[in-house]
Amino acid sequence: MNALKYRVLLICLCLACAWCVQPANAASKSSSRFSVTDDLGRIVTLGQPAKRVVSLAPHLTENVFAIGAGGTLVGVSQYSDYPAAAQQITQVGDYQSINVEQVIALQPDVILAWVDGGNQQALNHLAGMGIPIYWSRPATIPAIAKELSRLGVLTGHQKQAAQVVDDFNHRLQTLQNSAHNSPVSVFYQVWAKPLQTLNNNSLIGAVITLCGGRNVFGDAPAVVAQVDREAVLLANPEVILGTHAQGEAPTWKADWLPWRTITAVAKQHIYSIEADVLSRHTPRVLQGAQQVCNYLSEAD
């Protein structure tokens, strides 16, 4: 993946985690069996389960597949690359723009949209045509389970979604139970030049906390915060974390090797995790969280 595109997408994913929205109940109090309340508090009601779904964010595409409803997808956004079957579905745009005519031609029963995507005007047009839109902005790790339940309702896959949610919650509880009592200080690098990190109002910040870590820039005023190397030296983290794109080497780690006064460097606690399992609001985030928890254990 082009480095600039990877950076923009990763930061957009991080920003999508920044909003502290109270998750709504999986199903609304509407009398319809196929009615949910989305992350903007809007009720989305379908007369019957959606058989034709357009997903406008990779995490939504992945979540639809996770509940066994991948066969309902007729259109997806760019970077909808997991599972492999998602790569065979027609792409209708990216996080900045949508091919409105193409979406209309696909005749979707519902559109799954990302609140923080740059598609508002196009989506307003599609909504004006009477196409139901479900807005996604899961703000926490538990909110992922709630979204899976809602998607199950919309697609008629409630039973499959319930099984996935039960497994997700069980795995999440297991990680919570194994969290460290003594917090390990962590610096997370989201980008190298300029040096950027994330505060605690992000999915990755939540993962660090889940594993018993202390994000050294957790209180930064911006979700994506620019810092200088001197600030990292002063914070002296015990662990440095970062990510890399699938199939690419984590070259960023070498930048830290000369800074041996940092505890994480001196003790070789510099770790990189595949970005998609740590930055997407999908069940796979628990895979990334397990890796983070394991790395923090090594730093004890």
Side-chain angles (χ1 to χ4, degrees), residues 164-177 210 283-288 290:
V164 175
V165 167
D166 285 346
D167 177 68
F168 181 89
N169 288 334
H170 175 74
R171 292 164 60 203
L172 177 58
Q173 187 62 55
T174 299
L175 288 173
Q176 290 173 329
N177 292 341
L210 169 68
R284 283 198 300 161
V285 75
L286 296 186
Q287 296 179 28
Q290 183 66 71

Side-chain angles (χ1 to χ4, degrees), residues 79-91:
Y79 302 121
S80 290
D81 53 9
Y82 188 89
Q87 300 175 38
Q88 307 304 314
I89 302 172
T90 300
Q91 292 190 1

Side-chain angles (χ1 to χ4, degrees), residues 107-283:
Q107 300 180 316
D109 298 316
V110 67
I111 294 173
L112 310 178
W114 178 26
V115 173
D116 299 295
N119 303 310
Q120 189 66 53
Q121 184 175 357
L123 284 165
N124 286 343
H125 178 73
L126 291 165
M129 298 184 64
I131 303 174
I133 297 178
Y134 168 89
W135 290 96
S136 170
R137 184 196 272 162
T140 64
I141 297 175
I144 297 171
K146 294 185 181 296
E147 177 156 279
L148 292 166
S149 293
R150 296 183 193 133
L151 295 177
V153 171
L154 292 176
T155 61
H157 286 67
Q158 295 97 321
K159 183 176 181 179
Q160 297 95 320
Q163 294 173 342
V164 175
V165 167
D166 285 346
D167 177 68
F168 181 89
N169 288 334
H170 175 74
R171 292 164 60 203
L172 177 58
Q173 187 62 55
T174 299
L175 288 173
Q176 290 173 329
N177 292 341
S178 62
H180 300 285
N181 294 322
S182 301
V184 177
S185 59
V186 179
F187 170 66
Y188 176 78
Q189 177 177 304
V190 69
W191 201 252
K193 295 179 182 179
L195 188 59
Q196 293 176 319
T197 189
L198 298 172
N199 71 11
N200 282 339
N201 293 324
S202 64
L203 180 61
I204 293 170
V207 167
I208 291 171
T209 300
L210 169 68
C211 292
R214 178 180 62 82
N215 182 354
V216 296
F217 293 106
D219 295 330
V223 178
V224 182
Q226 186 169 327
V227 297
D228 55 37
R229 207 167 295 271
E230 288 71 22
V232 180
L233 286 166
L234 184 62
N236 192 26
E238 298 168 88
V239 170
I240 295 176
L241 293 176
T243 57
H244 59 273
Q246 183 180 14
E248 295 184 8
T251 56
W252 65 268
K253 294 171 60 175
D255 296 341
W256 290 102
L257 297 182
W259 304 89
R260 297 192 60 80
T261 57
I262 300 175
T263 299
V265 179
K267 294 187 175 182
Q268 301 182 43
H269 295 319
I270 307 174
Y271 306 106
S272 188
I273 298 171
E274 184 183 327
D276 288 350
V277 300
L278 199 58
S279 59
R280 288 185 184 178
H281 282 81
T282 74

